[in-house]
Amino acid sequence: MKRFLPLLAVAALIAVPAASAGKAAVPTLTPGTLVVAFGDPAPGFAQGTVRGNTVTNPRGYEVDLASAIAKKLGLKVKWMYSPWNSLFAPGTKKFDISFQEATITAQRKRTVDFTSSYLNANQGVLISKQTTAPKSLADLKKLQTCAQTNTTGLDWIKTQLHPAKAPLTFPGTAAAYQAVQINKCQALILDVPLVSLEKKQNPTKFGPVAGQVVTHEQYGAVLQKGSKLLATVNSTMKGLIADGTVGKLQKKWFNLDFSKIPALK
């Protein structure tokens, strides 16, 4: 028996490190913490107090979804602000993941990575109180349209609608909504969920969401190009969809039937 003791000792030495290694660490910028970035406040999606680059007391669908992902991964969460206009710029990101109702497109995927989709959306038409609701795309072409810069809504206006007047553009949603309130912009073209929830929160400031344009867009969270975190987040997201968490969060924060908004043709 003595001649086998050295082999058993070696086996024990090998086994101890393997057992103590445990689960591999999640590859976040800060060990044990998921840095989540949001953009301009969006009712139902993410609203909080923005001071400089920090966001405090955020709430909304994307906030709860990010929290659920972090919990599944055993991570703490740090919230931060990141402006929309720099979201798709190449280079190093200061966040692990950003939720900004960003539509997944081939062009954007050249500079950033996207998670799998967490919401489907079309483009919506929010009009001012002084504007007669368009019944068709032909009617919409006659109005003064506007959109946020670097959005699929602005792309659609330029490449598909071809309105009589050049669209007004704004760097953020707050300025765009303000333009609609004062009738500087008669029709804002922006994602249906965004304009619908803005109208729901501020019902007296705008006319109706007069219609939607079917574009079959999908929202994905944004990560730095080549992020090692992507596969882990996608796997976690898939689990949250399968167990009903995502559906429950959408019902909790939206409680609107976007399909009832008429499609403009």
Side-chain angles (χ1 to χ4, degrees), residues 88-147:
F88 308 113
T92 303
K93 305 297 184 186
K94 295 182 179 179
F95 53 77
D96 292 302
I97 188 168
S98 181
F99 289 84
Q100 295 200 39
E101 312 88 55
T103 297
I104 302 169
T105 70
Q107 182 178 359
R108 291 171 177 175
K109 288 174 73 174
R110 294 175 184 173
T111 54
V112 298
D113 281 341
F114 281 96
T115 64
S116 53
S117 175
Y118 62 89
L119 189 72
N120 298 330
N122 291 319
Q123 288 299 310
V125 181
L126 177 65
I127 62 173
S128 68
K129 294 173 71 172
Q130 296 87 351
T131 299
T132 301
K135 302 296 183 182
S136 65
L137 294 180
D139 291 341
L140 184 59
K141 286 183 179 182
K142 300 174 185 177
L143 302 179
Q144 175 61 70
T145 60
C146 65

Side-chain angles (χ1 to χ4, degrees), residues 38-57:
F38 301 117
D40 293 337
F45 284 91
Q47 287 181 289
T49 301
V50 178
R51 290 189 178 90
N53 293 328
T54 64
V55 178
T56 56
N57 301 318

Side-chain angles (χ1 to χ4, degrees), residues 137 141 152-163 213 215:
L137 294 180
K141 286 183 179 182
T152 50
L154 181 58
D155 288 341
W156 180 81
I157 293 173
K158 292 181 175 180
T159 63
Q160 303 295 322
L161 184 63
H162 304 295
V213 182
T215 52

Side-chain angles (χ1 to χ4, degrees), residues 50-74:
V50 178
R51 290 189 178 90
N53 293 328
T54 64
V55 178
T56 56
N57 301 318
R59 62 194 183 280
Y61 169 56
E62 291 174 325
V63 178
D64 283 0
L65 180 55
S67 296
I69 291 171
K71 184 177 180 180
K72 287 285 186 181
L73 297 178

Side-chain angles (χ1 to χ4, degrees), residues 4-264:
F4 293 105
L5 288 177
L7 293 176
L8 293 172
V10 170
L13 289 172
I14 294 173
V16 170
S20 62
K23 189 168 67 173
V26 180
T28 53
L29 294 174
T30 302
T33 300
L34 185 69
V35 179
V36 181
F38 301 117
D40 293 337
F45 284 91
Q47 287 181 289
T49 301
V50 178
R51 290 189 178 90
N53 293 328
T54 64
V55 178
T56 56
N57 301 318
R59 62 194 183 280
Y61 169 56
E62 291 174 325
V63 178
D64 283 0
L65 180 55
S67 296
I69 291 171
K71 184 177 180 180
K72 287 285 186 181
L73 297 178
L75 302 171
K76 298 178 181 179
V77 184
K78 178 180 179 181
W79 313 110
M80 68 168 288
Y81 173 79
S82 181
W84 170 263
N85 282 338
S86 64
L87 185 60
F88 308 113
T92 303
K93 305 297 184 186
K94 295 182 179 179
F95 53 77
D96 292 302
I97 188 168
S98 181
F99 289 84
Q100 295 200 39
E101 312 88 55
T103 297
I104 302 169
T105 70
Q107 182 178 359
R108 291 171 177 175
K109 288 174 73 174
R110 294 175 184 173
T111 54
V112 298
D113 281 341
F114 281 96
T115 64
S116 53
S117 175
Y118 62 89
L119 189 72
N120 298 330
N122 291 319
Q123 288 299 310
V125 181
L126 177 65
I127 62 173
S128 68
K129 294 173 71 172
Q130 296 87 351
T131 299
T132 301
K135 302 296 183 182
S136 65
L137 294 180
D139 291 341
L140 184 59
K141 286 183 179 182
K142 300 174 185 177
L143 302 179
Q144 175 61 70
T145 60
C146 65
Q148 186 180 3
T149 54
N150 298 321
T151 61
T152 50
L154 181 58
D155 288 341
W156 180 81
I157 293 173
K158 292 181 175 180
T159 63
Q160 303 295 322
L161 184 63
H162 304 295
K165 301 176 183 178
L168 305 175
T169 59
F170 302 93
T173 54
Y177 288 133
Q178 177 65 24
V180 178
Q181 290 177 46
I182 64 175
N183 200 37
K184 181 178 181 180
C185 168
Q186 294 177 298
L188 170 62
I189 311 301
L190 191 64
D191 305 1
V192 165
L194 296 181
V195 294
S196 297
L197 292 165
E198 178 69 23
K199 169 65 177 177
K200 181 181 179 181
Q201 181 167 293
N202 298 292
T204 63
K205 293 182 178 180
F206 311 99
V209 178
Q212 64 179 309
V213 182
V214 179
T215 52
H216 299 295
E217 299 177 41
Q218 294 183 315
Y219 289 169
V222 174
L223 299 89
Q224 182 171 320
K225 189 70 176 176
S227 172
K228 295 179 180 179
L229 189 60
L230 180 61
T232 301
V233 171
N234 276 343
S235 177
T236 305
M237 188 102 71
K238 183 178 179 180
L240 292 172
I241 292 172
D243 70 12
T245 298
V246 169
K248 290 176 182 177
L249 292 179
Q250 290 179 2
K251 185 176 181 180
K252 171 186 176 182
W253 287 104
F254 302 154
N255 199 27
L256 288 174
D257 187 352
F258 303 127
S259 67
K260 291 184 178 180
I261 299 171
L264 297 180

